């Protein structure tokens, strides 16, 4: 995890060990989230007129995302949760800490990310760009993605080597991945 040439809170790059886990191949879509809203009798989030369907859900907060995970856990009988920051970084680097790609799966942002220069300033349908080497889509760009971790700029100074889960307390919640607007 981390980056020796990145921002101060990303330093130092250090080795961590993560147990096996599964991650959804795409971001959660409006189709999926709207079903959750209908079954839970809660209002659907706005889409800014960009469209719903296979576009990633937007305008939900961390607690909405956690509620969706809990609902999906109840429907499937499996434990569904947000990824930790360590897990997200692991899959973004193609499960290889020596990956030298600038973006998740490529050095060419247009190959793997929906962002302001190729998005028309809105989200793109999921999986319209190339996946990374693990077959996961949209890890760079499209929408910011919630992680399970709270944020503490000093966490790297005391994080454990095995399965870091983020600090117990923090100023905010970690998001990763970038967005259509950057």
């Amino acid at each position: 995890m981390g980056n020796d040439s990145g921002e101060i809170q990303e330093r130092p790059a250090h080795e961590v060990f993560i147990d096996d886990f599964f991650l959804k191949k795409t971001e959660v879509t409006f189709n999926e989230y709207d079903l959750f809203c209908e079954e839970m009798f809660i209002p659907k989030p706005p889409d800014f007129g960009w469209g719903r369907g296979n576009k990633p859900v937007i305008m939900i907060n961390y607690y909405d995302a956690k509620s969706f995970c809990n609902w999906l856990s109840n429907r499937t009988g499996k434990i569904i949760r947000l990824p930790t920051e360590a897990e997200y970084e692991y899959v973004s680097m193609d499960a290889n800490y020596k990956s030298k790609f600038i973006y998740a799966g490529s050095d060419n942002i247009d190959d793997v990310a929906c962002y302001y220069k190729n998005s028309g300033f809105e989200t793109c349908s999921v999986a319209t760009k190339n996946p990374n080497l693990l077959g996961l889509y949209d890890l760079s760009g499209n929408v910011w993605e919630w992680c399970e971790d709270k944020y503490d700029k000093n966490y790297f100074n005391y994080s454990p080597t095995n399965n870091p889960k983020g600090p117990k307390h923090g100023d905010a919640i970690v998001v990763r991945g970038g967005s259509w607007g950057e």
Side-chain angles (χ1 to χ4, degrees):
M1 282 193 77
N3 181 342
D4 287 329
S5 60
E7 296 181 28
I8 192 74
Q9 70 269 16
E10 297 174 334
R11 299 178 199 168
H14 59 283
E15 188 173 69
V16 298
F17 299 92
I18 301 170
D19 290 340
D20 289 343
F21 66 98
F22 292 96
L23 191 66
K24 190 175 182 306
K25 290 177 79 165
T26 68
E27 298 149 321
V28 174
T29 65
F30 268 110
N31 279 339
E32 295 161 325
Y33 198 83
D34 285 349
L35 178 60
F36 159 67
C37 292
E38 290 165 9
E39 287 193 11
M40 300 302 293
F41 302 103
I42 58 176
K44 295 176 182 177
D47 66 10
F48 293 140
W50 299 343
R52 299 181 88 77
N54 204 35
K55 290 207 171 192
V57 67
I58 57 173
M59 302 304 297
I60 65 168
N61 65 37
Y62 170 77
Y63 300 102
D64 296 332
K66 296 220 13 131
S67 292
F68 176 81
C69 290
N70 290 336
W71 170 80
L72 196 54
S73 292
N74 289 332
R75 285 188 106 227
T76 64
K78 299 176 182 175
I79 297 172
I80 309 290
R81 62 171 174 78
L82 299 172
T84 66
E85 183 178 22
E87 290 167 341
Y88 197 95
E89 188 164 333
Y90 179 76
V91 298
S92 293
M93 294 190 308
D94 298 318
N96 178 354
Y97 72 94
K98 294 179 181 177
S99 174
K100 299 296 183 197
F101 288 134
I102 297 170
Y103 307 100
S106 178
D107 285 332
N108 182 352
I109 192 170
D110 288 309
D111 290 344
V112 294
C114 174
Y115 72 114
Y116 75 98
K117 287 187 177 179
N118 66 13
S119 71
F121 290 97
E122 63 182 53
T123 59
C124 301
S125 291
V126 301
T128 56
K129 298 294 180 180
N130 295 333
N132 73 352
L133 298 175
L134 299 175
L136 303 174
Y137 294 87
D138 304 314
L139 293 167
S140 297
N142 217 10
V143 295
W144 286 104
E145 299 181 41
W146 292 111
C147 290
E148 191 65 42
D149 309 37
K150 292 179 174 55
Y151 176 74
D152 174 355
K153 67 181 179 181
N154 297 313
Y155 183 61
F156 275 20
N157 295 325
Y158 64 89
S159 64
T161 302
N162 292 322
N163 296 307
K165 304 283 187 216
K168 292 185 187 213
H169 305 285
D171 301 329
I173 305 296
V174 173
V175 292
R176 294 297 297 262
S179 78
W180 59 269
E182 296 183 29

